Amino acid sequence: MLIRRRPELTASHVTPPGLFYNRRRGVLVSAATVLGAAMSGRGAGLAAAPAACDAPLPEAIRRANGETPSPLTDIAGYNNYYEFSSDKKAVRTLAQTLTIAPWTITVEGEVEKAYTLDSTDINKLFGTEERIYRLRCVEGWAMVVPWSGVSLCKLIERARPTSRARFVEFVSLKRSSEMIGQRVAGSIDWPYREGLRIDEAMHPLTFAVSGLYGEALPKQNGAPLRIAVPWKYGFKSPKAITHIRLVDEQPTTSWVKRAESEYGFYGNVNPEVAHPRWSQARENRIGELRKRPTLYLNGYADQVASLYAGMDPARLY
Ligand SMILES: Nc1nc2c(c(=O)[nH]1)N[C@H]1C(S)=C(S)[C@@H](COP(=O)(O)O)O[C@H]1N2
Ligand SMILES: [Mo]
């Protein structure tokens, strides 16, 4: 078992050098890939190029390998949502005070065409599909969740990111009049902020969620729009987002700011990297008696391990 030590982070090893977004091809490419293509004269079919936004995901991946979704009563009754409470069973009731319409989502920053939409326009513009994803909280509990929504890359592509867009920052709502947990002293520095590297955000698995079990997303699960990044611990999936900001530097995120020794920017699920206060080797799927072994990248390694080529997995907590 690896016990993690504080890494000496430098910008050069957290960001793959020379990674940029190719607007025409709709993919992220590396400078080396482009050079290789130029030298070999092959413009298409580059083995090393990351998946395009519309790359089809295998059916098994979209359906959690046929695993049975957790009951709605668990998914919508046991929640982490510190804007309301740190009591997971109280969130369901407390979150009902939130007004979710009208609600705008702004995509901005290092883009050619920033835009703002009402949350209800997202499915009209981009369509909707179901994804059954495993969700693994850093605390050690897990569920299987039938979300509906759209790949986040569709929302990002519409704004046409510039070559300076290397990270994506998500900003959740700050409205203490309706979010009583935001009035608690010593809590998170609101609003909740999260972030991804641009290639993580553009990966077709990364999902902008507007529904659950085929219905509108319950408020306690992050309505009207939350993110789901299934290979990362749950804290990397922000709820009630209002801004998606393309930025050139790695953003500061809420949990890193609150407890830098416990949470990192990556939050990749890894059974071999213990949290300073507990092991991550096993997990408790809500409703089950026996614990299950935790899977590397939460079982999505075939899809996303290549995003971290050349990086030490022990540092990606
Ligand atoms: N805005 C916001 N987003 C958040 C959180 C939060 O407190 N506030 N908690 C995170 C954590 S720790 C987890 S495990 C998941 C839980 O999602 P769920 O309640 O839908 O299962 O939401 C994440 N997104
Ligand atoms: Mo979590």
Side-chain angles (χ1 to χ4, degrees):
M1 167 86 51
L2 280 158
I3 302 295
R4 61 182 204 238
R5 263 161 251 122
R6 178 179 295 252
E8 315 76 48
L9 286 181
T10 64
S12 66
H13 87 252
V14 296
T15 307
L19 194 64
F20 68 93
Y21 185 75
N22 181 320
R23 208 179 319 117
R24 193 172 52 81
R25 292 177 52 213
V27 296
L28 274 149
V29 293
S30 68
T33 307
V34 173
L35 191 64
M39 282 164 47
S40 67
R42 295 177 296 118
L46 302 168
C53 178
D54 52 7
L57 290 166
E59 171 83 3
I61 294 301
R62 285 187 280 115
R63 314 227 74 84
N65 290 325
E67 290 185 62
T68 307
S70 302
L72 180 62
T73 47
D74 289 334
I75 300 170
Y78 187 84
N79 302 99
N80 266 339
Y81 203 167
Y82 282 73
E83 283 87 337
F84 294 98
S85 175
S86 57
D87 175 347
K88 292 182 224 307
K89 291 182 179 164
V91 168
R92 182 220 305 253
T93 308
L94 296 172
Q96 302 316 313
T97 55
L98 183 63
T99 308
I100 57 168
W103 185 291
T104 58
I105 313 286
T106 298
V107 184
E108 62 182 11
E110 294 290 352
V111 296
E112 288 176 8
K113 203 170 159 284
Y115 67 90
T116 297
L117 284 179
D118 191 84
S119 66
T120 54
D121 292 331
I122 288 176
N123 298 131
K124 288 180 213 155
L125 259 169
F126 304 104
T128 181
E129 62 172 302
E130 185 172 72
R131 299 269 179 89
I132 304 175
Y133 279 169
R134 285 181 292 278
L135 168 72
R136 168 60 153 86
C137 176
V138 73
E139 297 162 339
W141 56 268
M143 299 200 203
V144 178
V145 188
W147 302 120
S148 39
V150 59
S151 281
L152 175 67
C153 57
K154 306 260 185 200
L155 276 70
I156 294 178
E157 272 192 336
R158 186 172 192 266
R160 292 197 243 117
T162 70
S163 60
R164 287 168 59 85
R166 299 196 309 145
F167 293 90
V168 181
E169 177 182 44
F170 304 102
V171 186
S172 297
L173 184 72
K174 179 173 178 176
R175 188 187 288 158
S176 61
S177 59
E178 293 183 351
M179 297 176 132
I180 65 161
Q182 291 185 339
R183 300 180 215 159
V184 177
S187 183
I188 287 168
D189 182 13
W190 307 107
Y192 193 97
R193 288 173 195 274
E194 257 309 330
L196 296 170
R197 227 168 54 191
I198 183 84
D199 54 340
E200 297 176 322
M202 297 303 290
H203 193 282
L205 267 180
T206 304
F207 208 45
V209 175
S210 55
L212 172 64
Y213 265 111
E215 307 279 341
L217 188 64
K219 292 179 180 178
Q220 58 270 36
N221 295 95
L225 192 74
R226 65 90 60 79
I227 303 297
V229 192
W231 70 95
K232 292 177 179 282
Y233 292 117
F235 69 88
K236 296 296 296 181
S237 294
K239 298 178 172 184
I241 60 168
T242 59
H243 291 76
I244 299 171
R245 198 169 287 146
L246 287 283
V247 294
D248 64 349
E249 297 212 352
Q250 183 174 303
T252 306
T253 55
S254 291
W255 287 103
V256 171
K257 201 168 174 191
R258 183 167 171 76
E260 204 189 349
S261 58
E262 302 192 9
Y263 306 103
F265 176 77
Y266 280 87
N268 284 355
V269 175
N270 189 339
E272 296 194 345
V273 180
H275 185 278
R277 293 184 280 132
W278 56 83
S279 164
Q280 295 291 26
R282 299 195 306 152
E283 63 197 42
N284 173 234
R285 187 168 293 176
I286 300 299
E288 294 182 352
L289 292 174
R290 293 181 65 113
K291 287 197 172 185
R292 294 176 179 245
T294 288
L295 305 175
Y296 180 53
L297 297 173
N298 206 21
Y300 298 92
D302 285 353
Q303 275 64 49
V304 296
S306 61
L307 296 177
Y308 310 103
M311 299 178 82
D312 177 1
R315 291 173 182 276
L316 302 179
Y317 56 83

